[in-house]
Amino acid sequence: MSERATDPEFDECDCPEKADAALTRTEPGAGTALLWLVLDEFHPPAVVLPRIKRGLRSRNAQTRANALQSLGHFGRLHRDVDAESLALLRGALRDRTPLGGCQLRGYADNAADDIGMFVPRRRLPRWLRRRHAGPWRPRRLQR
């Protein structure tokens, strides 16, 4: 059995209030709690997205990286992202903070790719459509 499966901290990550507490205390598991929330189908977007935005503003680089992963998953699952989240994502695309042999902007690039792929183009700002939009689907030809 893995270490995470027996750790009670990881069993309790699916509660929004505990994710808030972890973000407030800047715990190392705060980013993991965000991933649990976004992947749990019982939590509506109105509960998950504010916590992701809070994680994107964290001082901890690992929490920001997990929040960026969560934002990409959110865009994929809900096919929508608000303007404030996109502004935070745009700032993260310039973040050169080192994290595990790469930079935080690499995580932001992956999140932008997910959002560009799954959120409809008409809902995306021009800067994201240009560099991270998914496949272009031409309109049907009129006869």
Side-chain angles (χ1 to χ4, degrees):
M1 185 173 274
S2 74
E3 187 177 309
R4 288 185 174 190
T6 59
D7 189 354
E9 176 186 338
F10 290 98
D11 293 336
E12 300 173 358
C13 287
D14 58 350
C15 178
E17 293 79 21
K18 291 182 182 173
D20 287 338
L23 286 167
T24 300
R25 293 189 302 262
T26 62
E27 291 179 3
T32 308
L34 292 174
L35 287 166
W36 277 81
L37 283 178
V38 77
L39 294 175
D40 186 4
E41 70 264 6
F42 296 112
H43 297 297
V47 171
V48 177
L49 195 57
R51 287 163 176 87
I52 292 173
K53 290 188 274 191
R54 192 169 166 202
L56 290 171
R57 292 184 184 100
S58 175
R59 289 178 288 148
N60 185 326
Q62 184 62 56
T63 300
R64 290 196 315 268
N66 290 135
L68 287 164
Q69 290 173 327
S70 299
L71 186 62
H73 287 307
F74 185 89
R76 179 178 52 83
L77 294 171
H78 299 287
R79 300 193 187 284
D80 194 22
V81 178
D82 67 350
E84 184 182 0
S85 298
L86 291 172
L88 292 168
L89 174 63
R90 191 173 191 183
L93 285 166
R94 295 183 295 270
D95 191 347
R96 295 179 182 267
T97 304
L99 182 66
C102 60
Q103 295 177 350
L104 202 61
R105 66 184 183 165
Y107 289 92
D109 194 53
N110 289 337
D113 285 342
D114 284 348
I115 290 169
M117 180 70 71
F118 293 102
V119 175
R121 286 179 64 87
R122 67 184 179 279
R123 294 187 194 160
L124 299 176
R126 179 180 234 165
W127 64 265
L128 197 133
R129 283 193 315 251
R130 284 185 174 175
R131 294 194 59 216
H132 300 282
W136 184 72
R137 296 181 188 108
R139 293 182 181 167
R140 293 187 92 155
L141 296 174
Q142 300 293 326
R143 293 186 194 201

